[in-house]
Amino acid sequence: MAAEFDLSPEQPTRVHAEKSEKAIAAIPKDYKFVEPGVLTVGINPWDPPVATYATDAKTVVGTDPDLAVLLAETLGLKLNLVAVAWEDWPLGLSSGKFDAVISNVTVTEERKEKFDFSTYRQDVLGFYVKKDSKITSIKEPKDVAGLKVITGAGTNQEKILLEWDRENVAAGLKPVEVQYYDDRAASQLAIQSGRADAEFNPNATLAYGAAVNGGTKLVGVVSGGWPRTAEIAVATRKGSGLADPFKVAVNELIASGKYGEVLKKWSLTEEAIDKSATNPLGLPKPNS
């Protein structure tokens, strides 16, 4: 059955948290917030359910905004969400325009040179098929042999799919027929009509589409950093001292169940982490 998501600016079902003295105590005494008593967060409203504009076309809602609310409340602060273009967040954070960026940022070794990270979600890619498809599981290269699979051109998921295909062909298995479409409607039509067997793209947006339309189902997830694990994190300025308070706050939200409530609300339970970490191993630098 198709689900309905509340994209109203009021967000009446938003999850809230109590402030945590432990998390507050972890904030460096000499840290100066952009605005006293306020957590200023940069966020890119790129796509539901992670972050998008509400029905008023100006309020940002979604998983990341909800988590930003929880983190601010846990740290005893008010929240100011500032919409920013994806390409502009690094400069905005470095220059002190934001205290943090909570915007689906994946931890990479290159980014760790300039920023600190506190993880809060897995970076997950998903395989989705038609609801009544006979395909029940795609977890490894051999599972896509001979299938017609939609993915995004020039993306990390395309790179993974092509590597899986290379391994399959080398092992004597049938090749993958990789398909590309310019928009989600065309991809959905291809899946529903049988012109494609599966779609392999970021789990968050495909999970949202499956919940809203009810025409597809998840049959497998792969880390966005395959064969490594990739994680999404709160980004803060290098050495600002905010990474540990955010880690403490995320772990308290996980323990209280508030974290899980937010992911369930936006159909992203598959992307949950068990524990937040500060500056974990990130995806390697290009050509390393």
Side-chain angles (χ1 to χ4, degrees):
M1 188 172 75
E4 289 188 12
F5 289 87
D6 176 20
L7 297 181
S8 70
E10 296 83 11
Q11 290 294 292
T13 60
R14 175 168 275 159
V15 182
H16 291 279
E18 299 295 325
K19 67 179 180 180
S20 161
E21 296 304 331
K22 180 180 178 182
I24 293 170
I27 301 172
K29 302 300 183 203
D30 59 350
Y31 180 79
K32 289 182 171 54
F33 287 92
V34 174
E35 184 180 346
V38 177
L39 179 64
T40 303
V41 173
I43 191 164
N44 173 231
W46 65 289
D47 220 355
V50 177
T52 189
Y53 283 111
T55 51
D56 66 354
K58 62 180 180 180
T59 304
V60 184
V61 298
T63 314
D64 278 358
D66 276 5
L67 282 168
V69 168
L70 287 178
L71 290 171
E73 291 174 343
T74 302
L75 293 171
L77 301 165
K78 294 181 179 179
L79 176 67
N80 179 26
L81 276 182
V82 181
V84 60
W86 172 259
E87 60 271 18
D88 294 337
W89 74 257
L91 179 58
L93 186 55
S94 297
S95 65
K97 186 176 181 181
F98 320 120
D99 297 302
V101 169
I102 303 177
S103 193
N104 211 56
V105 180
T106 300
V107 182
T108 70
E109 289 303 300
E110 189 169 26
R111 287 174 180 157
K112 278 167 61 179
E113 293 177 357
K114 293 184 178 180
F115 307 105
D116 286 326
F117 292 96
S118 315
T119 58
Y120 67 90
R121 222 172 68 238
Q122 294 184 61
D123 183 346
V124 175
L125 301 169
F127 281 102
Y128 283 75
V129 299
K130 190 177 179 181
K131 194 79 170 181
D132 60 359
S133 172
K134 293 180 180 178
I135 299 170
T136 58
S137 176
I138 299 178
K139 294 182 178 179
E140 55 186 322
K142 67 179 180 62
D143 296 334
V144 296
L147 297 184
K148 297 176 288 228
V149 182
I150 299 167
T151 195
T155 61
N156 200 43
Q157 53 267 30
E158 180 196 37
K159 179 181 173 184
I160 293 170
L161 185 61
L162 293 178
E163 175 58 25
W164 282 21
D165 185 50
R166 187 193 66 76
E167 290 183 16
N168 284 340
V169 172
L173 299 176
K174 292 181 179 179
V176 174
E177 181 186 312
V178 183
Q179 298 183 4
Y180 305 95
Y181 293 93
D182 292 334
D183 58 63
R184 194 162 301 136
S187 297
Q188 276 296 306
L189 183 59
I191 291 288
Q192 296 304 321
S193 67
R195 290 201 308 271
D197 298 306
E199 180 170 1
F200 181 49
N201 272 315
N203 178 70
T205 51
L206 293 182
Y208 181 83
V212 169
N213 300 315
T216 54
K217 63 181 179 181
L218 175 69
V219 292
V221 292
V222 177
S223 172
W226 183 90
R228 295 192 183 188
T229 298
E231 291 185 281
I232 291 165
V234 179
T236 48
R237 283 187 297 284
K238 195 75 180 173
S240 69
L242 288 185
D244 280 341
F246 277 120
K247 178 185 71 175
V248 171
V250 172
N251 283 328
E252 292 208 354
L253 292 167
I254 290 172
S256 72
K258 302 286 188 180
Y259 168 84
E261 286 181 46
V262 168
L263 293 191
K264 184 178 180 181
K265 172 185 171 183
W266 296 101
S267 290
L268 293 185
T269 303
E270 290 286 343
E271 303 190 5
I273 59 171
D274 295 324
K275 186 177 181 181
S276 177
T278 299
N279 292 329
L281 182 67
L283 297 186
K285 293 181 182 180
N287 304 317
S288 67

